[in-house]
Amino acid sequence: MIKISNRQIVDVLRFSDDKAVLVEKKPNPDSTSYGVNYFILNFSTGEKEIVTKDAYLLKKYGTKRKEISEKLGNFVMPGAMILEDRSVLVIYPNGETGLFNAEGELVRDGLLSYNDSPVCCIAEDGNCFWSVCEGENAVIRYFAEGAKMDIRIGGKNQLTFERPHFVSADDKYVYVCCNHNSVRKIDKATFTVTDVNRRYNDITGYYKFGKFAIVTTFDGAYCDKD
């Protein structure tokens, strides 16, 4: 693996077929607050490139990025999904949700939970998305329209997923970070659960881009390759 950042990574998005945009946390000079840096990793060249905040917001929230980001305040932390009608669904790590219409107006908010435990993350899967419920050892697929539950894998007394805390997806698999030391994957076609072949320590996030993976940990971020 190649280390690509020494700072905490708070968001990763696909930018193009061979690029991903990363957001890293940086302390402000007063040492009491934090700001962020935005950069692109080019998988073809291995180089890091500067990217603007506006380009990041466009990828994450769409054309009404200004209206949505201003209403959110902290626009980096939530997962986001742009729906077919150009509305935008967001979920914060504590389960707080919001739905913005195509004009960027907040039309619904609430708390997404399963058995009274908060659900977090958005991993897109067509007109659905996957989230994790750490308190119930469960990974759940929801219909994006109305955030209604579709499929649940795992459960509080099952060992399929142990303390799942992050989920992402590519075209074929859903990737689930468990207990900060392993990554499991769900086949989208068969719902079979297997392990990613490599193990990582202190993992906070795992993002797959073709043959490349971005692995975020407590001490920064790495790029791995199949």
Side-chain angles (χ1 to χ4, degrees), residues 10-213:
V10 289
D11 202 7
V12 178
L13 297 176
R14 180 182 297 277
F15 192 77
S16 66
D17 288 343
D18 61 351
K19 294 179 180 180
V21 57
L22 291 84
V23 184
E24 58 182 9
K25 192 174 179 180
K26 65 171 184 178
N28 287 328
D30 60 14
S31 299
T32 62
S33 59
Y34 289 86
V36 292
N37 288 328
Y38 309 89
F39 70 88
I40 283 176
L41 178 65
N42 187 321
F43 296 113
S44 298
T45 64
E47 296 178 348
K48 292 166 64 173
E49 307 169 5
I50 295 174
V51 67
T52 65
K53 170 185 170 182
D54 190 63
Y56 162 76
L57 290 175
L58 179 61
K59 278 293 178 182
K60 187 166 184 173
Y61 296 113
T63 56
K64 294 300 179 179
R65 57 198 180 279
K66 183 176 183 294
E67 292 84 351
I68 294 173
S69 62
E70 287 178 351
K71 291 180 177 67
L72 289 174
N74 186 339
F75 52 78
V76 172
M77 292 306 296
M81 179 179 180
I82 302 173
L83 308 185
E84 288 185 352
D85 62 357
R86 295 188 296 115
S87 60
V88 178
L89 175 69
V90 302
I91 303 177
Y92 278 91
N94 65 358
E96 289 185 31
T97 67
L99 180 68
F100 296 86
N101 64 20
E103 301 305 315
E105 295 296 326
L106 181 65
V107 294
R108 189 168 70 241
D109 61 6
L111 183 69
L112 190 62
S113 64
Y114 173 66
N115 286 347
D116 297 324
S117 292
V119 170
C120 71
C121 299
I122 291 180
E124 294 188 35
D125 185 4
N127 63 351
C128 298
F129 66 90
W130 294 83
S131 294
V132 294
C133 183
E134 183 173 0
E136 293 289 323
N137 287 342
V139 181
I140 303 169
R141 190 171 79 171
Y142 293 89
F143 293 108
E145 181 64 35
K148 300 296 184 182
M149 185 186 297
D150 177 33
I151 296 169
R152 175 182 59 81
I153 302 176
K156 195 176 185 75
N157 298 317
Q158 300 177 26
L159 298 178
T160 309
F161 302 104
E162 184 179 2
R163 293 179 57 203
H165 57 86
F166 176 84
V167 64
S168 66
D170 62 11
D171 291 338
K172 188 175 180 180
Y173 294 104
V174 177
Y175 301 92
V176 185
C177 295
C178 300
N179 206 26
H180 294 292
N181 60 19
S182 67
V183 183
R184 308 212 75 192
K185 60 183 181 180
I186 304 168
D187 188 306
K188 287 184 176 181
T190 65
F191 304 115
T192 302
V193 180
T194 55
D195 290 311
V196 170
N197 291 331
R198 302 185 186 183
R199 292 185 70 83
Y200 306 95
N201 294 323
D202 299 327
I203 187 169
T204 58
Y206 181 90
Y207 309 79
K208 200 72 165 63
F209 301 93
K211 294 183 178 181
F212 295 93

